[in-house]
Amino acid sequence: MTQEYSAEIEDGRDTALIQRAYRNLLKCMPAPLNKEDKHNIRAAFELAAKAHQQQRRKSGEPYILHPIEVARICVEEIGLGPTAVVCALLHDVVEDTEVTLKEIHAQFGERVALIVDGLTKLDSLHDSESPQAENLTKVLRTMLSDVRVVLIKMADRLHNLRTIKSMAHHKQIKIAAETSSIYAPLAHRLGLYKIKTEFQDICLKISHPDEYHDIAEKLAQTKRAREQYIETFKQPLQKALEEQLGSGVRIIGRPKSIYSIWNKIRTKQVDFEDIYDLFAIRIILDVPPEREKMICWQAYAVVTDFYTPIPERLKDWITNPKANGYTSLHTSVMGPQGRYVEVQIRTERMDEIAERGFAAHWKYKGIRRMRNDTDVFDNWLNQVRDTLENVGAANAVEVLINLQSDLFSDEVHVFTPKGEMRILPEGATALDFAFSIHSDVGCTCRAVRVNNRIERISYVLKNGDQIQVITDKNQRPAEDWLNFVISSKARNRIRSALKEEKRQLAALGREILERKLNNMHKCPVEENADMLAKWYGYHNRLEFFSAIALEQVDMSGLKSFRPDGQRLVEIEGEKAPIPHENEPKPADGNLPAKPLKHQVNKADVFINGEPGTYYAYSFATCCNPVQGDPIFAYVTANKEGVKIHRTTCPNAPFLLANYEYRVMKAEWGATVKADFIAAILVTGIDAGPGVIQQITDRISGLGINIRSFSITGEGGYFEGRISLVVANTHQLNQAILALKSFKFVANVSRME
Ligand code: MN
């Protein structure tokens, strides 16, 4: 009885909660809805609410709150309209409930059905090498017919991240890795800056919690001082701008995201203190579209009347917008107290596009067309379409990796001999340029003329270069071309050309082998090829056949092959080593290592909640986990079984994002005396010959063994790499702290 009663109360509470969320969604729709839209949204809500009725999210909330919130994000944070709201409400219905796509088509029509289909994950997840990648390729394909698919997907991901706390930790790191390698760059490319920043911050919080909280705390501590400074900086500007431009002016301090600070600290090797006083402000002007450019430059003139500009920091993204549609005028000036301040000048329209990307871009589309105002989004979509078409049925991981390189990069602007502008990713070479013209031009590219000087095809493009391609019909793509092209189009074309060549070569090699086997042993190629390939040390028969055609294989060794027992005998002399596939390389190769077996009692790692001994697990050598480190288990593709990685392993984001289904949860068991290898990096001032002795003494004094120690010094500085044998992270931290206490030591860190 009591149970039923409380269930009823809960039901009542849920209903109120759901109704409130739905009303709130309707309230945030900007324009008054027409009758049809109103009806469709209501119908979608009712259908979804009914279909998800029995489901709850991990947090315990009724499931329907998720699609409602996704719809709200679509409207308020991305700027989408009623159709997107209908689709967002329905986005999980086909995947998770009884409702079929057919029913959705019947009730809401073709367009909604198409979008919802694009949002529905692939059915046969387990058949695929990399479901995440294939899932994304599907999204991208559908995006080409309706870009709202990918925008709703972004909203879905954003809400899942915002509520990620209720997920298990190992799932959190999976989702974070996938988000930072796929969704964040995609958001960047779609111009969704705000969402990209939030993605990155949440991911950082999950993958590097200590560093995240450290920066967040320091930001909070310095908040007041920074705000005061910005106030002083902008006071004279506000008045002068309003007077001289006669238009509305907003000046806002622009807080840097925790991720961007973290990234700077890491890539530039500086401390928080060195960057926290890099101030940034944004001046936003309310002007009609036709006067935008002129007014922005006038504002620039006003700013530089008050503060001295740094000329090389001036960037005019108004005349030449970025490939993702971003327009703005950037500069840096010297502010009060001799501090640099970054200044962005833009209009309200530019600001909205910069913050909300694609959807906002649509809103302004057609308002005006400036010279040079090619549709950047259309360009990008064409690029994606091109990539997808050219890889055909090839594997999705490759598509993804290639797209990622385009997604991440900034760009370089160059010109054809006729003065046409081409935008390529930063770091692109003359060969990328040739492929961007046409794939035949790329494949036969022999040299280039850059600003009238002959250069090699590996020449790295600079902004403003004018380039003419010199072709030669006898030229063929070569393997090493892959080392210096970076655009996905060029990579894909070169790969498929090479593959075709390899296939022809392999066919020839196969024929040669067939003849030999026939003459020597009278046995068929088919049954023996794999065994022979392995024996000779090749990955697969294709490579083996190619090597035969290239005369790289010593065929005389075939004599010792005995066809009768299906078993091969050893060739005299050294057997070629069989290279391992998929094994991440150690991040640092210079540690001379005495062999040391992990002596962990095998039950001490739990994999998926079961004793690790059920799995043939071992510790990954790329990150050398130590008892106490956050870890996960990864099922390798070869026969090496399960590997334990640290969650901060440099290979982790790639593994998690692309082989998510091979990842399992791993935890440390009870403490047992065990030996782990951990590498640390010590830098400092070279205080003379006693340094090594002092360091080794201090560590040995803690009862910790040193496995190897190498030290290099230059100009009074030294850098030491110490490989330790420790029992757990506690002991490791002890060693790090002990070394930090030396006066001559500047920094001690664990090597990833
Ligand atoms: Mn969802």
Side-chain angles (χ1 to χ4, degrees):
M1 275 304 269
T2 0
Q3 220 166 0
E4 261 169 50
Y5 176 68
S6 69
E8 236 166 67
I9 289 185
E10 191 157 274
D11 269 2
R13 262 194 224 129
D14 283 354
T15 316
L17 209 61
I18 294 166
Q19 286 302 331
R20 200 177 323 130
Y22 179 66
R23 270 200 309 275
N24 181 38
L25 168 66
L26 293 181
K27 238 189 275 161
C28 76
M29 304 281 305
L33 295 169
N34 67 32
K35 230 178 166 179
E36 196 190 341
D37 288 337
K38 215 185 265 175
H39 169 82
N40 281 337
I41 291 174
R42 178 93 225 165
F45 165 65
E46 275 167 7
L47 183 115
K50 195 156 167 260
H52 292 299
Q53 199 169 29
Q54 301 303 326
Q55 295 171 320
R56 283 183 185 273
R57 300 204 90 206
K58 277 265 149 49
S59 60
E61 282 181 342
Y63 194 89
I64 183 69
L65 293 179
H66 165 65
I68 294 176
E69 182 60 15
V70 172
R72 191 202 57 77
I73 293 172
C74 285
V75 175
E76 283 202 306
E77 299 180 43
I78 304 182
L80 292 169
T83 309
V85 170
V86 170
C87 298
L89 286 170
L90 298 172
H91 83 270
D92 276 334
V93 154
V94 174
E95 186 174 323
D96 296 344
T97 77
E98 308 275 272
V99 180
T100 64
L101 203 57
K102 232 176 164 180
E103 288 162 335
I104 292 197
H105 189 283
Q107 198 176 347
F108 299 94
E110 174 100 45
R111 179 59 44 176
V112 171
L114 177 92
I115 296 175
V116 172
D117 185 35
L119 289 163
T120 304
K121 284 187 201 134
L122 294 178
D123 287 337
S124 50
L125 285 188
H126 300 289
D127 300 344
S128 146
E129 251 303 284
S130 178
Q132 188 52 45
E134 265 181 32
N135 191 10
L136 183 85
T137 358
K138 183 179 180 191
V139 171
L140 290 176
R141 275 182 209 282
T142 325
M143 180 177 86
L144 298 174
S145 49
D146 199 313
V147 76
R148 280 171 288 196
V149 174
V150 77
L151 294 173
I152 296 169
K153 198 91 191 163
M154 290 288 162
D156 183 27
R157 174 57 51 134
L158 188 58
H159 185 238
N160 285 335
L161 279 174
R162 283 176 181 169
T163 54
I164 200 166
K165 267 207 202 117
S166 35
M167 306 275 276
H169 184 69
H170 72 287
K171 284 209 175 131
Q172 292 189 13
I173 41 180
K174 259 189 228 179
I175 293 171
E178 191 183 285
T179 305
S180 43
S181 67
I182 299 172
Y183 289 87
L186 206 49
H188 174 82
R189 215 20 152 195
L190 293 166
L192 304 163
Y193 275 106
K194 253 194 165 149
I195 291 180
K196 178 192 79 170
T197 306
E198 192 172 344
F199 278 166
Q200 290 173 328
D201 275 358
I202 297 176
C203 291
L204 181 66
K205 195 173 174 180
I206 294 165
S207 64
H208 295 79
D210 297 343
E211 292 164 55
Y212 176 91
H213 289 297
D214 191 40
I215 295 172
E217 200 173 296
K218 283 179 175 155
L219 273 181
Q221 282 164 6
T222 53
K223 192 165 181 245
R224 271 188 69 103
R226 279 181 294 125
E227 280 172 354
Q228 270 167 8
Y229 183 83
I230 294 288
E231 207 41 54
T232 331
F233 180 89
K234 75 182 206 191
Q235 228 150 39
L237 285 181
Q238 180 86 36
K239 220 173 129 225
L241 283 166
E242 273 167 14
E243 276 173 18
Q244 293 191 33
L245 306 181
S247 57
V249 177
R250 285 196 293 140
I251 305 182
I252 49 175
R254 199 163 52 88
K256 287 195 185 302
S257 78
I258 295 183
Y259 174 84
S260 71
I261 294 173
W262 175 78
N263 201 28
K264 225 179 210 154
I265 292 178
R266 213 174 50 140
T267 53
K268 302 232 163 109
Q269 299 271 337
V270 292
D271 290 332
F272 178 83
E273 286 68 29
D274 297 328
I275 45 172
Y276 90 101
D277 62 346
L278 282 182
F279 295 95
I281 66 146
R282 181 177 298 157
I283 297 172
I284 305 164
L285 306 159
D286 192 9
V287 289
E290 62 278 5
R291 298 179 61 215
E292 280 186 329
K293 189 170 171 180
M294 194 186 69
I295 297 279
C296 285
W297 280 105
Q298 271 180 15
Y300 174 81
V302 173
V303 172
T304 51
D305 277 348
F306 285 93
Y307 303 112
T308 316
I310 294 124
E312 55 275 22
R313 299 298 302 274
L314 178 65
K315 290 237 168 74
D316 176 8
W317 302 115
I318 296 180
T319 314
N320 283 320
K322 290 193 187 186
N324 63 6
Y326 180 82
T327 49
S328 193
L329 199 58
H330 288 192
T331 189
S332 288
V333 298
M334 183 61 79
Q337 299 156 37
R339 289 166 157 180
Y340 290 116
V341 178
E342 284 172 33
V343 181
Q344 300 180 340
I345 302 169
R346 51 168 83 149
T347 65
E348 293 284 354
R349 180 193 71 93
M350 296 174 189
D351 191 55
E352 197 179 344
I353 291 179
E355 295 283 299
R356 304 211 303 199
F358 229 116
H361 173 82
W362 275 347
K363 193 171 125 191
Y364 292 103
K365 215 173 169 177
I367 285 189
R368 109 217 133 114
R369 285 263 130 163
M370 289 198 344
R371 194 179 56 87
N372 260 352
D373 192 13
T374 46
D375 194 318
V376 285
F377 287 110
D378 286 350
N379 278 348
W380 185 69
L381 285 180
N382 283 337
Q383 232 181 64
V384 175
R385 184 177 293 123
D386 203 55
T387 308
L388 291 174
E389 270 166 11
N390 274 300
V391 291
N395 82 52
V397 180
E398 211 165 280
V399 176
L400 189 67
I401 291 169
N402 283 334
L403 271 177
Q404 274 169 354
S405 63
D406 283 354
L407 292 172
F408 270 119
S409 46
D410 264 323
E411 56 234 7
V412 52
H413 299 223
V414 294
F415 297 92
T416 67
K418 284 184 183 153
E420 233 178 88
M421 189 172 73
R422 298 255 154 182
I423 304 179
L424 286 137
E426 198 180 320
T429 56
L431 190 56
D432 285 301
F433 175 83
F435 274 99
S436 85
I437 303 279
H438 193 279
S439 47
D440 291 344
V441 176
C443 286
T444 54
C445 176
R446 170 71 75 191
V448 284
R449 202 169 271 134
V450 180
N451 308 326
N452 276 325
R453 255 206 359 251
I454 299 274
E455 293 278 359
R456 278 189 299 185
I457 57 176
S458 58
Y459 171 86
V460 177
L461 304 176
K462 295 191 193 70
N463 271 317
D465 279 345
Q466 190 162 38
I467 305 182
Q468 188 189 352
V469 180
I470 302 164
T471 57
D472 173 351
K473 67 176 180 346
N474 293 320
Q475 178 74 300
R476 295 264 170 285
E479 190 95 36
D480 73 314
W481 284 16
L482 290 170
N483 297 333
F484 56 80
V485 296
I486 65 164
S487 61
S488 58
K489 181 175 180 181
R491 294 192 78 83
N492 288 328
R493 294 292 164 90
I494 295 170
R495 278 229 178 86
S496 57
L498 290 173
K499 254 185 210 154
E500 185 44 43
E501 206 165 296
K502 233 184 188 169
R503 222 180 325 232
Q504 288 172 7
L505 209 58
L508 178 68
R510 193 196 151 97
E511 266 179 52
I512 298 173
L513 182 67
E514 194 156 31
R515 243 174 291 143
K516 292 253 176 193
L517 281 180
N518 244 329
N519 289 341
M520 269 185 218
H521 303 297
K522 306 249 173 301
C523 75
V525 168
E526 204 46 47
E527 275 97 88
N528 293 294
D530 290 332
M531 232 189 299
L532 277 168
K534 211 173 166 189
W535 191 38
Y536 273 103
Y538 290 91
H539 280 288
N540 53 47
R541 54 165 75 192
L542 193 71
E543 281 183 19
F544 178 49
F545 291 155
S546 315
I548 293 174
L550 293 169
E551 299 179 354
Q552 291 165 349
V553 179
D554 177 14
M555 300 294 276
S556 66
L558 272 182
K559 279 182 217 131
S560 44
F561 166 71
R562 281 200 206 121
D564 45 336
Q566 291 288 317
R567 201 174 56 86
L568 298 174
V569 294
E570 290 281 349
I571 302 179
E572 283 113 87
E574 278 270 332
K575 209 169 92 173
I578 299 168
H580 288 297
E581 239 175 329
N582 292 329
E583 170 65 0
K585 301 254 176 327
D588 177 74
N590 0 329
L591 288 174
K594 296 177 220 155
L596 181 136
K597 286 260 177 284
H598 277 285
Q599 289 154 21
V600 188
N601 176 342
K602 283 280 181 175
D604 276 335
V605 170
F606 284 84
I607 297 172
N608 259 358
E610 293 167 317
T613 37
Y614 291 2
Y615 304 86
Y617 79 87
S618 57
F619 292 93
T621 49
C622 46
C623 56
N624 288 326
V626 168
Q627 179 147 12
D629 283 327
I631 47 172
F632 67 90
Y634 177 78
V635 187
T636 59
N638 48 36
K639 291 192 186 86
E640 293 197 71
V642 175
K643 291 264 181 201
I644 307 291
H645 289 265
R646 280 158 66 190
T647 54
T648 55
C649 171
N651 293 311
F654 179 79
L655 297 178
L656 291 163
N658 294 301
Y659 301 103
E660 186 247 340
Y661 60 103
R662 291 203 184 137
V663 172
M664 293 189 289
K665 184 170 100 174
E667 298 150 302
W668 297 102
T671 325
V672 164
K673 172 86 181 108
D675 290 335
F676 295 94
I677 302 157
I680 53 181
L681 184 70
V682 191
T683 55
I685 307 153
D686 200 339
V691 167
I692 296 180
Q693 191 62 42
Q694 286 187 62
I695 289 178
T696 45
D697 282 355
R698 182 71 57 96
I699 291 176
S700 312
L702 293 167
I704 298 170
N705 284 325
I706 295 177
R707 188 165 158 251
S708 69
F709 189 175
S710 70
I711 193 160
T712 52
E714 206 186 342
Y717 258 94
F718 76 88
E719 200 177 276
R721 287 154 200 274
I722 313 176
S723 176
L724 300 173
V725 180
V726 294
N728 47 41
T729 45
H730 174 67
Q731 225 181 20
L732 177 61
N733 290 335
Q734 265 188 326
I736 292 175
L737 276 178
L739 292 179
K740 275 189 176 160
S741 71
F742 281 120
K743 273 222 180 72
F744 57 85
V745 167
N747 197 24
V748 186
S749 60
R750 182 156 174 209
M751 289 178 7
E752 307 252 28

